[in-house]
Amino acid sequence: MPSNHNTETDFVHFFWTQVDLEKTAALAFVFLLDCMVVLLILNPFIWWSDSQNATNFLVAARNASASTTNLKDVLADLIPKEQTRIKNFKQQYGKTNIGQISVDMIYGGMRGMKGLVYETSVLDPDEGIRFRGYSIPECQGLLPKAPGGEEPLPEGLFWLLVTGQVPTEEQVTWVSKEWAKRAALPSHVVTMLDNFPTNLHPMSQFSAAITALNSESSFARAYSEGVHKSKYWEFAYEDSMDLIAKLPCIAAKIYRNLYREGSSIGAIDSNLDWSHNFSNMLGYSDAQFTELMRLYLTIHSDHEGGNVSAHTSHLVGSALSDPYLSFSAAMNGLAGPLHGLANQEVLVWLTALQKELGGEVSDEKMRDYIWNTLKSGRVVPGYGHAVLRKTDPRYTCQREFALKHLPSDPMFKMVAQLYKIVPNVLLEQGKAKNPWPNVDAHSGVLLQYYGMSEMNYYTVLFGVSRALGVLAQLVWSRALGFPLERPKSMSTDGLMTLVGAKSG
Ligand SMILES: CC(C)(COP(=O)(O)OP(=O)(O)OC[C@H]1O[C@@H](n2cnc3c(N)ncnc32)[C@H](O)[C@@H]1OP(=O)(O)O)[C@@H](O)C(=O)NCCC(=O)NCCS
């Protein structure tokens, strides 16, 4: 029996001996033409499949650790790589100058002075915040949603902030379940919250409860037992996960104690996401309110490293104070009216405006009201920013939420009217470097619409969200071995001598 090889050889032999060359050339030409036609027809599909492959490749790269749902395992894989990358960078560029410091900068609250490394987000003056490189609209598109939901789940944002990777739905579900598992409060914290006087501001209660939670700190315990510094991040991670899990319970307890006659927050449902459980514990069952919470808790999470709350946690953490102590310190900063408390201030100001001028206000009357605020030496809350120079994208996405869900709400209409008027007045006054609205100009109005009218409470919600950013960074700060933060301060006399100025 002839072998296959022989058959092939026979065929080739037959082909070259039986078919004349001209005929072969003609056949080859027709064959080539056919191939070209087929390629032309298939081209879009080939292109599509190539671009699909490219997209799949990108998604695969982004989800490099998609095979595991355990965040700590993903971190354990990422940390040594990042440590090496930064070590090499410092070796090569450690002595390179990146800016100059002027006397104005020192007196001006260190504006524009590059002095911190903060990995989780970066703020562009014109474009606004980017979480690990992704803008808010990109996050809204990319991050997993709850079944039937449209807003991103904060769990996904946390995963992104910690790893720099867009998580899969399974990874986000893992985070939800992990936080549900870790949510229980120790009894001394519950007792303390139950005993606070009702005139203690919700933010003070929030910060005090977080400080008291440090009885649970595995970081503090490990440190006291002499753990090696290479393991710090693991305990910072455990504390951060526990703390984030417990914050909605603390926040809901404060809310119920102050505004719902101390009624129970109920139990955590491990099948629900973090925001859904939080809404339930607060006593809000409207699905749209839960969606608002998901958006709210995502967008308030992080705003690079120099803002008061992020910088405070960074600073306090650098003394190796545990995540509870570092975060409660941050919350005391967030409670300031120029920072997080501005969302309360906006509502106080809007309510006073409504009371004085009534429901429907003419543009002219509104202008006068804004001018009166300025002339009385106060700021217009919700407007201006230390870094931003355009409308805050966090304002824009809340405005879009309002346009979708509450377009006819009178309070929203007032906020929209102010958006047309305040910037012009601030420009006319010529002091504020940024006349545009920030995140706080919008959030309270959305909360009011769903029945949460207790404006003193709003900054607590901000605080719950802010934990996601600053604690993600805290884990990295310990992983990267950031040292004690200790900038050099100077007296005015010392500064004058330094620059050669004559005193007086
Ligand atoms: C956010 C804020 C604290 C930034 O401060 P900043 O970096 O010092 O801002 P600027 O450099 O633009 O300030 C320059 C001047 O404009 C004033 N200014 C800034 N924003 C203003 C506002 N919304 N209303 C009135 N005046 C304002 C400042 O008070 C300052 O006045 P001064 O020279 O008399 O001290 C400031 O814009 C502000 O107070 N806004 C209102 C509070 C608020 O919404 N905070 C939340 C921020 S997310």
Side-chain angles (χ1 to χ4, degrees):
M1 210 170 135
S3 70
N4 280 346
H5 172 77
N6 282 346
T7 318
E8 273 171 26
T9 319
D10 290 350
F11 175 75
V12 171
H13 177 74
F14 169 84
F15 190 82
W16 284 111
T17 49
Q18 302 295 321
V19 181
D20 64 80
L21 278 176
E22 265 177 44
K23 215 169 174 185
T24 309
L27 274 171
F29 181 70
V30 171
F31 175 73
L32 272 175
L33 266 182
D34 280 358
C35 284
M36 281 169 73
V37 170
V38 169
L39 271 175
L40 275 174
I41 294 168
L42 284 181
N43 194 33
F45 298 102
I46 290 167
W47 175 86
W48 180 81
S49 110
D50 273 357
S51 68
Q52 277 300 101
N53 283 343
T55 312
N56 289 345
F57 175 77
L58 281 177
V59 169
R62 273 200 219 113
N63 293 332
S65 315
S67 52
T68 172
T69 51
N70 187 316
L71 183 54
K72 197 172 181 181
D73 290 347
V74 178
L75 259 177
D77 180 50
L78 288 173
I79 284 170
K81 293 176 191 152
E82 194 57 11
Q83 285 170 335
T84 309
R85 194 169 77 100
I86 292 175
K87 191 173 160 214
N88 293 342
F89 173 57
K90 276 168 62 186
Q91 256 165 14
Q92 216 182 337
Y93 295 98
K95 303 281 179 285
T96 308
N97 283 328
I98 55 161
Q100 286 189 326
I101 296 171
S102 68
V103 171
D104 273 348
M105 280 164 134
I106 299 185
Y107 281 104
M110 299 193 277
R111 292 291 187 288
M113 205 188 271
K114 294 182 184 74
L116 292 169
V117 175
Y118 194 88
E119 308 285 6
T120 49
S121 66
V122 174
L123 181 57
D124 180 86
D126 294 320
E127 197 189 40
I129 194 66
R130 277 188 179 269
F131 303 116
R132 290 282 188 178
Y134 295 100
S135 67
I136 287 179
E138 283 167 355
C139 285
Q140 285 177 300
L142 281 169
L143 293 177
K145 326 270 185 299
E150 291 181 356
E151 300 300 341
L153 288 165
E155 288 90 324
L157 184 86
F158 181 68
W159 187 288
L160 173 67
L161 292 174
V162 172
T163 64
Q165 298 164 4
V166 175
T168 61
E169 280 183 20
E170 291 74 26
Q171 288 169 331
V172 164
T173 305
W174 182 88
V175 177
S176 299
K177 291 208 176 292
E178 197 65 18
W179 288 349
K181 213 160 58 186
R182 296 168 180 247
L185 296 181
S187 59
H188 71 275
V189 172
V190 176
T191 308
M192 185 178 89
L193 286 169
D194 286 343
N195 282 297
F196 278 140
T198 51
N199 65 351
L200 185 61
H201 192 279
M203 277 305 279
S204 310
Q205 299 198 22
F206 192 54
S207 145
I210 296 162
T211 300
L213 259 185
N214 106 308
S215 56
E216 312 306 295
S217 173
S218 52
F219 184 94
R221 203 173 316 117
Y223 189 87
S224 72
E225 289 164 4
V227 69
H228 192 276
K229 56 165 70 171
S230 62
K231 298 237 175 282
Y232 286 169
W233 75 265
E234 294 190 31
F235 298 96
Y237 167 86
E238 295 298 342
D239 278 2
S240 298
M241 291 290 280
D242 283 346
L243 176 51
I244 294 170
K246 293 174 196 315
L247 286 175
C249 301
I250 298 178
K253 187 104 195 73
I254 294 169
Y255 187 75
R256 296 273 190 157
N257 278 353
L258 288 177
Y259 313 114
R260 297 292 183 272
E261 284 125 23
S263 54
S264 163
I265 60 172
I268 291 271
D269 182 343
S270 61
N271 292 316
L272 299 182
D273 60 89
W274 191 58
S275 316
H276 201 160
N277 268 313
F278 189 19
S279 305
N280 285 352
M281 288 191 287
L282 287 166
Y284 290 79
S285 51
D286 185 337
Q288 251 180 44
F289 180 84
T290 303
E291 274 289 275
L292 174 63
M293 276 296 106
R294 291 176 183 133
L295 177 68
Y296 187 104
L297 297 171
T298 296
I299 64 172
H300 286 77
S301 58
D302 212 22
H303 222 221
E304 76 169 33
N307 67 75
V308 173
S309 50
H311 188 187
T312 305
S313 65
H314 203 63
L315 169 68
V316 177
S318 84
L320 298 186
S321 304
D322 64 60
Y324 297 96
L325 299 181
S326 308
F327 185 64
S328 60
M331 290 303 93
N332 289 336
L334 194 75
L338 295 189
H339 191 24
L341 203 80
N343 61 9
Q344 169 185 323
E345 295 294 298
V346 167
L347 254 291
V348 171
W349 187 79
L350 279 179
T351 312
L353 185 153
Q354 249 186 345
K355 200 169 163 199
E356 191 173 317
L357 305 178
E360 296 259 316
V361 187
S362 72
D363 287 359
E364 207 42 49
K365 279 192 168 166
M366 208 173 245
R367 246 179 76 83
D368 292 346
Y369 190 86
I370 298 161
W371 268 114
N372 284 343
T373 301
L374 295 176
K375 282 178 189 156
S376 63
R378 291 177 293 152
V379 294
V380 180
Y383 279 77
H385 199 272
V387 179
L388 279 170
R389 294 296 173 257
K390 293 269 169 65
T391 297
D392 190 337
R394 298 172 300 174
Y395 175 94
T396 309
C397 73
Q398 292 183 94
R399 180 176 153 80
E400 277 160 13
F401 187 96
L403 286 168
K404 191 152 82 183
H405 298 295
L406 44 133
S408 321
D409 177 57
M411 207 71 157
F412 165 58
K413 283 185 171 170
M414 188 177 281
V415 166
Q417 192 182 358
L418 283 164
Y419 189 24
K420 287 191 295 175
I421 301 173
V422 176
N424 289 332
V425 174
L426 287 175
L427 281 173
E428 213 176 303
Q429 191 205 27
K431 271 171 61 171
K433 293 191 189 67
N434 175 36
W436 301 105
N438 59 55
V439 65
D440 297 317
H442 219 303
S443 48
V445 166
L446 301 179
L447 296 168
Q448 294 254 325
Y449 178 76
Y450 293 101
M452 187 180 270
S453 55
E454 301 87 2
M455 38 195 110
N456 278 11
Y457 184 75
Y458 293 168
T459 314
V460 174
L461 297 178
F462 194 156
V464 173
S465 171
R466 189 41 60 101
L468 303 181
V470 304
L471 293 174
Q473 176 56 43
L474 203 70
V475 176
W476 273 103
S477 299
R478 298 294 73 80
L480 298 174
F482 286 171
L484 185 80
E485 209 174 85
R486 185 33 173 114
K488 175 83 186 95
S489 71
M490 299 206 67
S491 65
T492 294
D493 285 342
L495 260 181
M496 285 177 166
T497 309
L498 186 70
V499 301
K502 287 195 188 81
S503 180

